[in-house]
Amino acid sequence: MGDLVLHLDGISKSFGGLSALSNVNLHVEEGTTHAIIGPNGAGKSTLLNVCIGRLKPDSGRVMFDGQELTGKQPHEIAQIGVARVFQTPEIFQEMSLLENVMLPAFAHRDGSFRFNANKLLSKQGEIRDEAEHILEDVGLKDQMMMEGGSLSRGDKRRLELGMCLILHPRLLLLDEPTAGMARHDTNQTIDLLKKIKSRGMTKVIIEHDMHVVFSLADKVSVLARGQIIADGNPDEVREDPKVKEAYLGGTQ
Amino acid sequence: MTDMKKPVLNDMLLLFIFSAVILLMPFWLEPFGAAYPDLLQKFAIYGIFAIGFNILLGLTGYLSFGHAAFLGVGSYAAVWSFKLLTMNVLPAVLFGVLFAGALAAIIGFLSLRRSGIYFSILTLAFAQMSYNLAYSVLTPITNGETGLQLDRSDPRILDRMFSEGEPAAGLPSTDLFGVTMSGYPGFYFCAVILIVCFFISIRIFRSPFGLMLKGIKSNQNRMQYTGLNTRPYMQTAFIISGMFAGLAGSLLAVTDPLAGAERMQWTASGEVVLMTILGGVGTLIGPILGAALIKYFENIFSSFNDTVLEQAFSFLPESVLDVVVPLMGLFVGSGWQLTLGLLFMVVVIFLPGGLVEGFNRIFKFIRSGKKRKGLVEPTQDQASE
Ligand SMILES: Nc1ncnc2c1ncn2[C@@H]1O[C@H](COP(=O)(O)OP(=O)(O)OP(=O)(O)O)[C@@H](O)[C@H]1O
Ligand SMILES: [Mg+2]
């Protein structure tokens, strides 16, 4: 068993009267892929929002590798090594795919501020090479001069994955990375994520597609109505009667 | 196309052509009746103002409605440099840039806490505050309504130190090591600075810094979630942009050494917004084009009056003339802003990318026309494209 790298302690969050998360505890081991599943509106995306500093929890705390993330700014959390692929792709619509992937590398490198207005982009060969390499990995190299906005939904997700990979994150949070993809592309993405896994990055993945979950996850947590109702190996969780019930109850 | 694909060579070519066009303005603008120093100086100065404004609006997407404050501060600083130190223009320009940069640091620090319309309103409020201060409380510095002017009794410490004998009668004129900075020399001084500014702007657009500013415009969230602290970048862009405005303001004082509070009024802030949008936000050349065009038309339209109109339309019968002349009169002279407003509306509605987009479309149209000629039989589809 590896060390715990991500710890969520008693996270609660409500929007007005609606309780989106109540007392959520989650422990993710270093180097593993941890899937979070659950019906629509269960609070899965909200949980990731709390992790990356987009939302402040009402109570509880998030620890990553011994550091507390709660209360930190999003850019600080990103600098610590947490990256995220969003449910609705967050890319640079008007820029080329190459720029889309290069830009995060600059942002990460010069995040807290470096006056690099006197440097030329055309001289940033190293980052460009790496960006091209990553575009090849995510299968978008041929289109690298196209605009981000012109991609299909599935391709935008792959692009966003590329934008996260160039950051070399230690923790990668993926919010339904294969939604909107055709079967073939989904399988490709699974292969890609497996490849990353062998590089020892910790991943938290939210998925509806059970095929994806069972091909990738080492551990699965089930979230329903803001609470973790089951936790464990994929096979255990699959057989859990509470989970079956939650899924039926939640999607009614 | 991406910025990275364009080889550096292209930018050098662009800079070269740009320099040639600017420096030769006195010649090729002759047929348009625009080749006289006063107007040429304005082209260059407002070109600088617009380039700087575009670094903020074009790259980051933040719309400031208060850039006139920096223009005004640049002018005041320059005139004070003439009064206290020397009539040499270099210190004046330097102080104009520095003071505007300092004011931009303060206003930027306060306004950049918000984005979108709130940012615009904050900048507008700060600029109006500066304007009102210049009119009232700060009268000892700004000379209030009269405006800050040169005086024969000004100390001009440096000039007095180096020149012996009695100062010449009348007010001294601004100079660059002996060359008087009015007329054509004044224009060429502004033109050289404009070219330098254009070069700086190209470099910023092609730098990682510029790309990051574009990233902030395109998706500020994504920039933050990849680890960029956007505030210092925005602050820097705002200060650079304010310094360009201060530079333009100081050059206004170089070519005509007086400074008044009206230079800080919101109409002046609005004007630079119009120039940039008219020419093409986020393009390198657009803002300069917009600035020149607005100054050119302002010059033409505001010089018209009813007598000129009557002469122009004298071929019409009297009864028609009585209707046409007052009607047209609304759009010229002091009412020329009405024309400007109409022009602006037309551009924003039909060419949201400004004149540069217009030229691009024409260029594409011509190119596709050539291609079509090359085909033996154009199909229906291609012809209607
Ligand atoms: N910013 C917000 N303001 C108000 N309510 C919100 C906000 N974000 C989420 N919610 C609500 O919180 C609940 C949980 O939302 P969340 O997006 O976390 O669900 P999810 O599990 O990701 O669902 P899905 O599978 O549809 O993505 C939902 O009822 C949602 O409407
Ligand atoms: Mg969600």
Side-chain angles (χ1 to χ4, degrees):
Chain A
M1 282 290 134
D3 298 324
L4 294 178
V5 70
L6 180 71
H7 253 302
L8 276 71
D9 272 337
I11 301 283
S12 297
K13 176 79 197 172
S14 53
F15 300 107
L18 178 95
S19 163
L21 295 173
S22 51
N23 195 25
V24 171
N25 295 298
L26 189 76
H27 308 288
V28 179
E29 281 165 29
E30 177 129 45
T32 61
T33 299
H34 196 118
I36 298 176
I37 61 172
N40 286 98
K44 304 181 296 293
S45 299
T46 305
L47 196 64
L48 294 195
N49 283 339
V50 168
C51 292
I52 61 160
R54 188 180 230 183
L55 289 175
K56 285 210 165 36
D58 300 335
S59 62
R61 55 182 202 158
V62 182
M63 301 290 294
F64 173 70
D65 197 26
Q67 297 184 64
E68 176 152 7
L69 297 188
T70 20
K72 283 202 162 64
Q73 297 287 317
H75 65 89
E76 293 169 325
I77 294 176
Q79 287 291 352
I80 290 174
V82 182
R84 171 174 180 187
V85 174
F86 287 83
Q87 193 166 358
T88 36
E90 296 266 6
I91 60 166
F92 305 108
Q93 305 273 352
E94 315 79 14
M95 296 188 195
S96 71
L97 305 194
L98 183 61
E99 282 170 318
N100 262 281
V101 179
M102 283 176 73
L103 191 43
F106 290 127
H108 199 72
R109 186 189 71 185
D110 303 339
S112 49
F113 190 69
R114 187 189 294 175
F115 188 71
N116 46 22
N118 50 349
K119 307 265 184 341
L120 277 172
L121 274 179
S122 46
K123 299 249 166 76
Q124 308 285 327
E126 259 170 58
I127 286 183
R128 190 195 159 116
D129 289 345
E130 186 176 8
E132 286 190 22
H133 196 76
I134 283 176
L135 279 167
E136 189 158 16
D137 280 349
V138 295
L140 293 169
K141 174 113 192 269
D142 299 338
Q143 294 126 281
M144 72 179 191
M145 287 303 155
M146 272 170 55
E147 270 186 16
S150 65
L151 294 180
S152 70
R153 209 178 114 132
D155 283 349
K156 279 184 185 160
R157 273 160 194 291
R158 287 201 287 188
L159 175 64
E160 205 185 357
L161 182 58
M163 292 163 77
C164 289
L165 290 181
I166 202 166
L167 306 177
H168 301 290
R170 286 155 63 203
L171 175 65
L172 181 60
L173 309 172
L174 300 137
D175 201 341
E176 303 191 20
T178 63
M181 281 188 192
R183 185 88 262 169
H184 170 73
D185 290 338
T186 302
N187 287 335
Q188 238 181 353
T189 307
I190 292 175
D191 288 343
L192 179 63
L193 290 174
K194 272 190 182 150
K195 208 156 77 180
I196 306 169
K197 184 177 173 178
S198 63
R199 284 185 210 155
M201 182 189 300
T202 310
K203 291 192 292 295
V204 173
I205 177 167
I206 291 176
E207 247 317 331
H208 279 301
D209 187 334
M210 288 305 137
H211 168 62
V212 179
V213 172
F214 290 109
S215 359
L216 287 172
D218 304 304
K219 278 277 168 60
V220 180
S221 296
V222 185
L223 195 64
R225 297 206 192 90
Q227 284 173 313
I228 301 273
I229 56 163
D231 228 334
N233 297 330
D235 292 327
E236 288 167 26
V237 169
R238 185 158 35 184
E239 299 308 324
D240 194 320
K242 270 190 293 183
V243 175
K244 289 180 180 163
E245 192 190 288
Y247 260 86
L248 289 175
T251 48
Q252 220 165 47
Chain B
M1 281 298 280
T2 71
D3 289 340
M4 274 168 290
K5 279 297 278 185
K6 287 179 194 143
V8 185
L9 193 68
N10 269 0
D11 286 337
M12 286 296 117
L13 189 67
L14 177 65
L15 184 68
F16 179 77
I17 295 174
F18 178 80
S19 310
V21 168
I22 294 296
L23 294 174
L24 294 176
M25 273 201 308
F27 303 100
W28 66 265
L29 281 178
E30 188 76 63
F32 299 94
Y36 56 94
D38 275 13
L39 189 59
L40 292 175
Q41 288 163 2
K42 276 197 186 143
F43 287 169
I45 293 171
Y46 283 92
I48 293 170
F49 192 16
I51 289 180
F53 190 74
N54 188 46
I55 288 176
L56 186 68
L57 179 63
L59 288 177
T60 71
Y62 277 57
L63 175 62
S64 159
F65 255 109
H67 260 49
F70 311 128
L71 191 75
V73 166
S75 290
Y76 282 123
V79 175
W80 273 113
S81 164
F82 294 141
K83 287 169 83 71
L84 296 179
L85 298 174
T86 166
M87 291 306 289
N88 190 312
V89 295
L90 292 183
V93 167
L94 186 72
F95 284 118
V97 172
L98 289 182
F99 275 86
L103 184 67
I106 298 168
I107 294 186
F109 180 76
L110 297 170
S111 307
L112 287 170
R113 291 164 180 275
R114 295 282 173 273
S115 60
I117 187 76
Y118 301 103
F119 168 81
S120 303
I121 288 175
L122 279 173
T123 51
L124 176 64
F126 284 121
Q128 281 305 92
M129 245 163 71
S130 314
Y131 165 70
N132 283 322
L133 286 177
Y135 246 118
S136 54
V137 187
L138 296 178
T139 304
I141 302 175
T142 61
N143 203 19
E145 246 175 283
T146 329
L148 192 62
Q149 287 164 350
L150 298 182
D151 196 285
R152 261 175 61 76
S153 61
D154 287 334
R156 270 190 283 286
I157 305 165
L158 294 178
D159 285 357
R160 297 268 150 98
M161 249 174 4
F162 293 108
S163 76
E164 267 118 74
E166 279 301 290
L171 287 175
S173 50
T174 58
D175 72 274
L176 181 66
F177 306 118
V179 184
T180 302
M181 283 293 114
S182 55
Y184 279 111
F187 160 68
Y188 279 109
F189 180 65
C190 298
V192 168
I193 294 187
L194 171 66
I195 291 167
V196 173
C197 287
F198 185 66
F199 174 71
I200 294 175
S201 156
I202 294 182
R203 286 297 298 252
I204 290 180
F205 269 66
R206 303 284 187 249
S207 69
F209 177 75
L211 188 64
M212 282 197 260
L213 295 181
K214 284 185 209 166
I216 292 174
K217 178 183 186 178
S218 172
N219 191 340
Q220 187 155 4
N221 271 338
R222 184 29 99 197
M223 289 307 279
Q224 280 168 347
Y225 296 128
T226 45
L228 190 82
N229 187 2
T230 52
R231 271 301 286 282
Y233 282 90
M234 289 300 307
Q235 178 79 21
T236 311
F238 194 84
I239 294 174
I240 292 176
S241 166
M243 286 167 110
F244 272 76
L247 177 61
S250 69
L251 290 176
L252 284 175
V254 162
T255 53
D256 184 12
L258 47 89
E262 72 288 340
R263 216 162 260 174
M264 296 176 129
Q265 220 175 353
W266 68 270
T267 44
S269 298
E271 199 180 44
V272 75
V273 178
L274 294 192
M275 288 170 174
T276 311
I277 294 179
L278 186 72
V281 182
T283 63
L284 285 167
I285 219 78
I288 304 159
L289 205 65
L293 220 65
I294 285 185
K295 285 296 154 192
Y296 178 67
F297 281 118
E298 178 187 69
N299 184 53
I300 292 184
F301 280 95
S302 57
S303 68
F304 281 5
N305 54 31
D306 285 3
T307 348
V308 179
L309 282 179
E310 262 167 47
Q311 276 167 7
F313 291 100
S314 56
F315 58 89
L316 293 171
E318 187 108 4
S319 56
V320 183
L321 200 65
D322 284 347
V323 182
V324 169
V325 169
L327 198 68
M328 296 290 289
L330 289 176
F331 292 87
V332 298
S334 55
W336 103 272
Q337 254 117 352
L338 204 56
T339 319
L340 180 61
L342 284 176
L343 180 70
F344 185 68
M345 264 165 26
V346 170
V347 168
V348 169
I349 294 170
F350 296 104
L351 276 180
L355 294 171
V356 168
E357 184 189 326
F359 289 132
N360 279 345
R361 279 195 205 169
I362 294 172
F363 187 64
K364 264 190 201 143
F365 182 78
I366 294 173
R367 269 221 309 220
S368 66
K370 271 186 192 153
K371 258 187 217 154
R372 227 176 287 152
K373 265 188 216 154
L375 291 173
V376 188
E377 279 278 80
T379 64
Q380 199 84 41
D381 275 357
Q382 280 164 323
S384 64
E385 215 174 17

